[in-house]
Amino acid sequence: MNSRASGPRGDDVDSPVSGAADDARTGIGDGVGIALGYFTISIAFGLSCVRGGLTPLVATIISFTNLSSSGQFAGVTVALQVGSLAEIALTVLLINARYVLMSFSLSQRLAPGIGTRARLVMGYGVTDEIYALAMNRRVVTAPYYLGLMSLPVLGWTAGTTVGTLLGEVLPASLQSASGVLLYAMFVAIVVPPARGSARVAAVVLVAAVVSVVLAVLPLHLAAGWRLIVATCVAAGLGASLLPVPGAAEEEARP
Amino acid sequence: MTAAYLVGVVAVMFAVTYLPRTLPLVLFRREIRSRWLRSFLHYVPYAVLTALTLPATIGATRDWRSAAVGLAVAVLLAWRRRPLLVVALVAAASVWVAEAVLVVA
């Protein structure tokens, strides 16, 4: 759900086992494309954080500790409405639940002998793009993976800082206009896959309708809870009526 | 927003992002088999982002009409698969233009 800057690549899959330094170098090189994509996206995130009233430091800390586009965008959106911590936790957790799947399948590819301490660091780097690149390797070593995640972490964090600094010098006349930045980013993430998949489009439509209806009805539900209800209804209906066909085959892949 | 609230937000967001990524890597070696759960998890991000966008976007600027213009521009550009930063900045620019037009009108 992050950038489309870098897709999975097929190189190096069959290369012989090389030393740790070689692995790290290869990983760093593979991460350059992701890092550049992250940098540009997080500029927009930083801009909208400052617009919402967060300081550059807080926005940068959030980017560095989260390293996730959709999850942290959603969390900040709820936080700017001063939602309860429970609302924020549930919202972000829902979005990030897919990382459980990725982390599970990545664990099957790890080279033997990677200890718990290394896994605790590697887990931090599980994003859609880093995961996709790592899964191109037959065996994922710790040096490769840590090299792969290093530049994207830097790009994502630095881009946020740059965005907040840009936001601070933004003239007042542009403040209102920057209010749509975050929402336009959501649109940019959701629309292309919805265009490519009728299933995703149906789920998006249900989520939109339920969310608007809940907001219009006099229910006095906080925004975060409306979000959680709309999400569970839409994704639950989708999973029940339009199960993803790849879900079974994916497991059979080596 | 108080400092305590912000610290809570940062801590909570870190926890609910870091733990789902890391715990399976550390604790488990099996994959999730339930097709329903896999499908649900697949759909959740799209549903969340849609529910975040609607209807909140309409109140995100000074005037609902400029917000509607921005939203329409964003959908159009995203439909054409423009890069994320382009979609965001052009949508914001269109809001700015729309508000300038509304002031004149």
Side-chain angles (χ1 to χ4, degrees), chain A residues 167-232:
Chain A
E168 295 221 308
V169 298
L170 210 63
S173 65
L174 290 176
Q175 292 269 318
S176 174
S178 63
V180 296
L181 275 177
L182 207 54
Y183 298 111
M185 290 162 65
F186 297 162
V187 170
I189 294 171
V190 167
V191 167
R195 184 186 169 182
S197 158
R199 288 188 182 81
V200 172
V203 169
V204 164
L205 193 67
V206 171
V209 169
V210 174
S211 176
V212 170
V213 166
L214 288 178
V216 172
L217 291 179
L219 293 171
H220 307 294
L221 265 177
W225 296 118
R226 291 203 306 261
L227 178 72
I228 289 156
V229 172
T231 300
C232 290

Side-chain angles (χ1 to χ4, degrees), chain B residues 6 10 14 21 36 38 45 63-64 71-72 75-76 78 80 83-84 92 102:
Chain B
L6 282 176
V10 169
F14 170 69
R21 285 171 167 171
W36 190 91
R38 293 181 70 102
D63 188 302
W64 70 268
L71 185 62
V75 170
L76 185 74
R80 294 183 174 180
L84 192 144
L102 284 169

